[in-house]
Amino acid sequence: MSASATSPAQAPANSRSRVLVASLIGTTIEFYDFYIYATAAVLVFPSLFFPNSDPTTALLSSFAVFGAAMVARPIGAVVFGHLGDRLGRKGTLVASLLTMGIATFLIGVLPTYEQAGWIATALLVLMRLAQGFALGGEWSGAALVATENAPKNKRALYGTFPQLGAPLGFIIGNGLFLLIGALLPSSAGADPSQPSEAFLSWGWRIPFLFSAVMVVIGLWVRMRLVEAPVFAKTREAGLVRKLPMATVFRSHWKELILGTFFMLATYVLFYLMTTFSLSYGRTAKDAAVPGLGYSYTTFVLMMIFGVLFFAAFTLISGPLADKYGRRSTLIWVTVAITVFGLVWVPLIGMGTLGVVLWLVLGFTLMGMTFGPMGALLPELFPTSVRYTGSGISYNVSSILGAAVAPFIAVALWEAGDGSPWMVGVYLSSMALLTLVALLIGKETKDIALDEGETPAGVDATADRDGSPAAT
C-alpha cells in the first residue's frame, strides 16, 4: 500500500492539551447533564411530573423515565457510530454535544404536570430520550479522541481524561444544586430533606439552563480539532466501511459481547453510588421504607467528598493499566467490587463514619474500574469500526447495568424493609459476571490501533460483510 503525496502522516496533529481538553470537556458536560437529571429525578420530578402517585411509586416512575435514556443510548451509538466511522470523529462529536445541549436546555423550560397534565410528562420522556440518543455517541467519540491521539504506551492515561468528566460533572452539577438549595432553603420547621417551594417552582430549572453555557464552550474546543492520523490513514487507504454496524456484528460480535460485560459492574456501581445512594441517604429513618435520614445538603457534601476519591483514582488507574495491563488491573478491581457489595450493611451500621467510608470505598473502586475503560473498549476494535463497536458495547451495557439498576435497587431496598443488603448482593452478582468476561478476554495494551484493518486474504476494498468499502 503506497502513500500519496498527501500522506496522513503529514496531516496536522492535535496538541496534547487540545486532545485532553476536548475529550474531557464533552464528557464533563455529559455527566453534568446526567447528574442534574438524576438529582432532579430524586428531588423534584416525582412531585412535579408524577403527583398522583404515592411517594415510592412516584420515585420509581421518575427512575423509569431516567432509565428510558439508557434504551435510547444504543440507538445513538449506532447512528453516531456510523457517522463517526464513515465521516470522521470531529463532526460527529460536535453533533452529539449539540443534540445533548438542546435537549438538556429544553428540560429546563418544560411545563409541569399541574400546568400541562400528561403532556408535561410526555415531553419529559421525549427530552430524556433525546439526551440518551446524544449520549450514545458522546462517550465513544471522546474516548477515541483521547486514545487515537495518544502515544502507544500512554493510551490508558490519555483514556482516563474522558472518564474524569464523571467526577467533575458530579461536583459541578451537585455543587450548583447545593448552591441553589442554600439560596432557596426550606422554610422553618419544614423537612430539611425536602426542597422549598421556590426550589420546586423555578430553582430546579437553573442547572438545566446553565448547561447551555458549558455546551458553547465545549463546541468551541471541539471545532478546533483535526482528525487523528490513525483515522486519516484508514480513510486514505480506502478502508472506511460502508456499513460499520454490519461489519461489527459480522466480524466482531465476540468483542461486542465481551465489551458489554466488561462495563457491567462499572455501570451498576456507578448508578448505585450516585442515584440510589442519594435516595437512600436522605430518606427519613421513620419512613415506610426507612433510609439513613440525612438532610439533602449533608448527604451531598458527603458524596462530594467521596467523589474526590473517584477523580483521584480515575487518574491513578491510567498509569497502572499502562504498566500492568487493562485486564490484570480490572480483574483485581472487580474482585474488590464483589467484596464491597457484601460489606454494605456492616459499613453503614458503623454510623456516619461508616457511611462516609462506604462512599469513599465505592467511589474509589468506581475510579479504578472506570478509568481503564477509556482505553480498553476502543482497543477491542479496528479503526474502521471503532466508533461503532466501542459505542455499542458501552451503551448496551448501560441498559443491562444502568437503566435497570436504580429501579432494581429501590425494589430490593423496599423488599429488605429499609436494609440495603440485597442491593449490595445485586452489585456483587453483577461484578461476578464482569469478572467472568475479563477472565475470558485478552489483554489489549500492546496492540497498535491501526492493526487488523485488512486480514490476510481479504480484499482491502471490500467490507467484511461483503459490501464495498466507502470511498
Side-chain angles (χ1 to χ4, degrees), residues 300-367:
V300 171
L301 288 173
M302 292 162 67
M303 292 176 71
I304 289 176
F305 178 72
V307 168
L308 295 177
F309 290 82
F310 182 4
F313 281 89
T314 296
L315 290 176
I316 289 171
S317 71
L320 291 176
D322 278 326
K323 181 176 182 179
Y324 299 109
R326 292 73 161 118
R327 180 173 174 269
S328 299
T329 301
L330 286 169
I331 284 174
W332 286 108
V333 175
T334 305
V335 169
I337 293 173
T338 306
V339 175
F340 173 67
L342 300 177
V343 298
W344 274 32
V345 171
L347 284 173
I348 294 170
M350 295 168 58
T352 298
L353 178 61
V355 173
V356 172
L357 183 58
W358 171 59
L359 291 170
V360 167
L361 288 175
F363 281 118
T364 295
L365 292 171
M366 184 61 218

Side-chain angles (χ1 to χ4, degrees), residues 173-348:
N174 283 281
L176 185 54
F177 262 114
L178 280 178
L179 177 61
I180 296 168
L183 296 174
L184 303 173
S186 299
S187 59
D191 183 351
S193 69
Q194 301 300 319
S196 65
E197 287 299 320
F199 190 97
L200 285 170
S201 176
W202 56 269
W204 69 270
R205 300 180 184 272
I206 296 173
F208 291 92
L209 301 178
F210 177 72
S211 69
V213 177
M214 301 177 66
V215 169
V216 169
I217 297 172
L219 289 173
W220 178 77
V221 172
R222 286 187 169 176
M223 290 295 291
R224 302 181 66 194
L225 286 173
V226 296
E227 292 293 353
V230 65
F231 178 78
K233 179 180 177 182
T234 297
R235 184 162 54 188
E236 181 84 5
L239 294 173
V240 173
R241 305 298 174 188
K242 184 178 181 180
L243 298 171
M245 186 176 70
T247 302
V248 165
F249 278 100
R250 183 179 181 88
S251 302
H252 301 284
W253 58 270
K254 187 176 182 180
E255 288 80 5
L256 279 177
I257 295 172
L258 287 175
T260 297
F261 281 93
F262 286 166
M263 277 293 303
L264 183 61
T266 305
Y267 260 124
V268 174
L269 177 63
F270 178 67
Y271 286 86
L272 291 183
M273 296 309 301
T274 56
T275 305
F276 168 75
S277 66
L278 182 59
S279 295
Y280 177 61
R282 55 181 287 276
T283 298
K285 293 181 178 180
D286 58 355
V289 181
L292 295 176
Y294 291 97
S295 70
Y296 170 74
T297 299
T298 299
F299 195 76
V300 171
L301 288 173
M302 292 162 67
M303 292 176 71
I304 289 176
F305 178 72
V307 168
L308 295 177
F309 290 82
F310 182 4
F313 281 89
T314 296
L315 290 176
I316 289 171
S317 71
L320 291 176
D322 278 326
K323 181 176 182 179
Y324 299 109
R326 292 73 161 118
R327 180 173 174 269
S328 299
T329 301
L330 286 169
I331 284 174
W332 286 108
V333 175
T334 305
V335 169
I337 293 173
T338 306
V339 175
F340 173 67
L342 300 177
V343 298
W344 274 32
V345 171
L347 284 173
I348 294 170

Side-chain angles (χ1 to χ4, degrees), residues 28-72:
T28 299
I29 296 169
E30 169 193 350
F31 284 103
Y32 167 84
D33 289 342
F34 158 75
Y35 288 126
I36 62 174
Y37 190 97
T39 301
V42 172
L43 285 180
V44 299
F45 287 171
S47 60
L48 294 182
F49 292 94
F50 308 97
N52 296 326
S53 304
D54 64 82
T56 299
T57 302
L59 179 61
L60 290 173
S61 299
S62 183
F63 279 157
V65 177
F66 174 82
M70 309 308 165
V71 178

Side-chain angles (χ1 to χ4, degrees), residues 29-31 33-35 37-38 64-81 92 95-105 107 123-141 208 267 271 387 391-392 394-399 402-403:
I29 296 169
E30 169 193 350
F31 284 103
D33 289 342
F34 158 75
Y35 288 126
Y37 190 97
V65 177
F66 174 82
M70 309 308 165
V71 178
R73 285 178 71 157
I75 301 173
V78 170
V79 173
F80 286 111
T92 306
S96 66
L97 182 59
L98 188 60
T99 303
M100 181 69 187
I102 292 172
T104 303
F105 182 85
I107 290 175
L123 289 173
L124 179 66
V125 173
L126 180 63
M127 292 302 102
R128 187 60 183 155
L129 289 172
Q131 281 187 317
F133 178 78
L135 290 177
E138 171 58 40
W139 177 86
S140 49
F208 291 92
Y267 260 124
Y271 286 86
Y387 206 129
I392 291 175
Y394 183 84
N395 289 293
V396 169
S397 189
S398 78
I399 295 178

Side-chain angles (χ1 to χ4, degrees), residues 147-184:
T147 56
E148 289 185 342
N149 287 280
K152 183 177 179 180
N153 63 344
K154 293 185 178 180
R155 281 203 303 258
L157 174 60
Y158 274 54
T160 61
F161 277 81
Q163 313 301 74
L164 193 59
L168 291 181
F170 183 96
I171 292 171
I172 297 171
N174 283 281
L176 185 54
F177 262 114
L178 280 178
L179 177 61
I180 296 168
L183 296 174
L184 303 173

